[in-house]
């Protein structure tokens, strides 16, 4: 497999994506980083700051909104050379209206975390523009973090119909709690990664949770009370109890996932059972669903229909 010299990161203007861009720029052998962002002004501000911080002029802005597949397709169509690795990082709890449907008939929270990335990878694969690794920013929420009020996503059957209902929000209803939906959409995308790994053995597909990370904008769109609890109270208390780590530690997990061959294609790495930080373990040791090929294919087939 070709060594990783060029990397595209979605959601690269802030939080973990931006920090991953900084760490990658400091690594020998990495020559170019594409900052895939939805807002030109924010992207330029991030590029300028990254150039100052790293002393390297190697960042190129690619405009795409992962909730709008046509912008993703246009961005890939404009690429002139293949990319070695892509970090599917854009995501979160879906903005102000997480349950609102996009033109493709999926919820905004699903489109942000999953659909845009399926379209991105499909386009890169079909145009032979990806040479080495796809890394998906999953989350411990995909197997539950009860200590943080996130229950384990409970698949009824794992059928294609159930994954369709996760994508279009019917499983949760119009008032679905984005903190719970979030676990299901991360689970669905992680299963899709497993299916992709089997279908495309010449590319690595690694799912990696950055872990509970303080200081990002990840909780900013939650309703007031939850925002106060998770961001302001939790952001101060949780690091003290080892429930959150720094953005540097979180982003380093992405870099390790890209470069350390011990992280195997088709697998999902995150913290130990019950924890959102600490040592990384293969999540199949916590929940066998992650390696269930029928469930992986059901998730992939159902979600591809929206792409
Ligand atoms: N922080 C944690 O504790 C944690 C834990 C586990 C997993 N994760 C995952 O890690 C990833 C990064 O999280 P974070 O905490 O760094 O979040 P963040 O600070 O909110 O950053 C999210 C990034 O994604 C971008 N983004 C959001 N919607 C987008 C869209 N429709 N199109 C293009 N870009 C979009 C944002 O751009 P704008 O600035 O334009 O909004 C921003 O650059 C997410 O996938 C999250 O689910 C985070």
């Amino acid at each position: 497999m070709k060594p990783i010299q060029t990397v595209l990161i979605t959601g690269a203007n802030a939080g973990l994506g931006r920090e991953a861009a900084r760490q990658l720029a400091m690594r020998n052998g990495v020559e170019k980083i594409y900052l895939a962002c939805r807002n030109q002004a924010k992207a330029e501000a991030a590029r300028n700051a990254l150039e100052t911080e790293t002393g390297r002029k190697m960042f190129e802005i690619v405009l795409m909104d992962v909730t709008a597949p046509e912008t993703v397709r246009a961005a890939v169509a404009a690429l002139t050379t293949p990319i070695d690795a892509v970090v599917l990082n854009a995501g979160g709890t879906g903005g102000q209206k997480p349950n609102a449907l996009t033109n493709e008939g999926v919820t905004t929270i699903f489109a942000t975390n999953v659909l845009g990335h399926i379209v991105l990878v499909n386009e890169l694969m079909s145009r032979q523009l990806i040479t080495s690794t796809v890394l998906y920013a999953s989350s411990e929420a995909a197997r539950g973090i009860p200590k943080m009020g996130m229950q384990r996503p409970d698949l009824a059957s794992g059928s294609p119909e159930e994954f369709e209902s996760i994508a279009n929000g019917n499983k949760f209803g119009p008032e679905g709690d984005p903190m719970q939906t979030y676990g299901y959409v991360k689970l669905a995308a992680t299963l899709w990664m497993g299916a992709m790994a089997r279908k495309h053995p010449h590319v690595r597909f690694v799912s990696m949770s950055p872990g509970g990370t303080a200081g990002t904008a990840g909780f900013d769109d939650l309703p007031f009370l939850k925002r106060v609890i998770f961001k302001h109270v939790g952001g101060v208390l949780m690091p003290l109890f080892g429930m959150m780590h720094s953005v540097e530690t979180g982003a380093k997990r992405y870099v390790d996932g890209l470069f350390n061959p011990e992280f195997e294609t088709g697998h999902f790495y995150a913290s130990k059972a019950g924890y959102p930080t600490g040592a990384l373990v293969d999540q199949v040791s916590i929940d066998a669903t992650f390696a269930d090929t029928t469930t992986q294919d059901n998730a992939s087939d159902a979600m591809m229909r929206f792409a």
Side-chain angles (χ1 to χ4, degrees):
M1 216 170 265
K2 188 175 175 297
I4 295 174
Q5 295 171 314
T6 56
V7 185
L8 182 146
I9 306 168
T10 65
N13 61 282
L16 288 152
R18 183 192 177 291
E19 172 59 17
R22 190 192 67 78
Q23 292 186 18
L24 287 167
M26 303 309 289
R27 205 185 153 93
N28 279 343
V30 178
E31 290 168 1
K32 184 158 194 168
I33 297 173
Y34 295 90
L35 307 173
C37 307
R38 61 177 160 178
N39 179 295
Q40 178 82 35
K42 285 188 189 179
E44 282 174 14
R47 182 190 58 194
N48 295 344
L50 284 163
E51 284 181 355
T52 305
E53 287 164 24
T54 64
R56 297 192 70 183
K57 286 196 182 295
M58 55 164 351
F59 304 96
E60 184 170 325
I61 294 169
V62 174
L63 277 185
M64 67 171 72
D65 180 335
V66 292
T67 63
E70 67 282 5
T71 69
V72 178
R73 291 195 181 94
V76 176
L79 291 175
T80 50
T81 49
I83 289 169
D84 298 321
V86 56
V87 180
L88 308 175
N89 163 77
T93 49
Q96 296 291 324
K97 294 186 178 168
N99 298 318
L101 294 182
T102 68
N103 292 340
E104 289 67 39
V106 301
T107 58
T108 302
I109 186 170
F110 179 85
T112 311
N113 288 281
V114 192
L115 188 61
H117 290 137
I118 291 180
V119 172
L120 174 58
V121 172
N122 282 351
E123 289 293 308
L124 290 171
M125 300 288 295
S126 67
R127 292 168 183 267
Q128 298 187 317
L129 284 173
I130 177 89
T131 68
S132 170
T133 302
V134 176
L135 186 134
Y136 178 68
S138 190
S139 169
E140 282 77 5
R143 46 77 169 157
I145 323 169
K147 278 180 191 162
M148 293 175 77
M150 292 182 187
Q151 299 316 313
R152 174 176 174 237
D154 186 18
L155 291 177
S157 62
S159 65
E161 292 72 26
E162 187 171 15
F163 286 107
E164 198 173 305
S165 75
I166 290 171
N168 64 24
N170 287 350
K171 186 174 176 71
F172 316 106
E175 302 301 325
D177 174 357
M179 288 302 281
Q180 296 305 330
T181 306
Y182 177 74
Y184 283 90
V185 301
K186 289 295 193 188
L187 168 62
T190 304
L191 291 166
W192 161 73
M193 288 284 289
M196 291 297 281
R198 284 183 290 107
K199 276 184 212 149
H200 304 286
H202 64 290
V203 173
R204 282 173 77 227
F205 288 85
V206 176
S207 292
M208 174 69 75
S209 172
T213 303
T216 71
F219 298 122
D220 284 6
D221 290 317
L222 288 175
F224 176 72
L225 198 56
K226 286 199 168 152
R227 190 169 69 239
V228 170
I229 293 169
F230 276 94
K231 188 173 174 84
H232 301 293
V233 180
V236 173
L237 290 182
M238 284 200 251
L240 297 177
F241 292 100
M243 299 296 280
M244 279 199 176
H245 51 212
S246 68
V247 70
E248 289 84 1
T249 303
K252 183 172 179 299
R253 285 187 175 191
Y254 293 167
V255 178
D256 291 345
L258 290 178
F259 288 96
N260 184 343
E262 284 175 18
F263 295 112
E264 289 179 61
T265 191
H267 291 243
F268 167 33
Y269 301 92
S271 312
K272 286 183 192 163
Y275 291 90
T277 58
L280 285 168
V281 296
D282 188 333
Q283 299 295 292
V284 78
S285 62
I286 298 173
D287 187 342
T289 311
F290 291 115
D292 184 314
T293 54
T294 304
T295 313
Q296 288 176 352
D297 288 342
N298 287 348
S300 179
D301 293 349
M303 301 190 308
M304 288 277 193
R305 279 185 226 136
F306 294 99

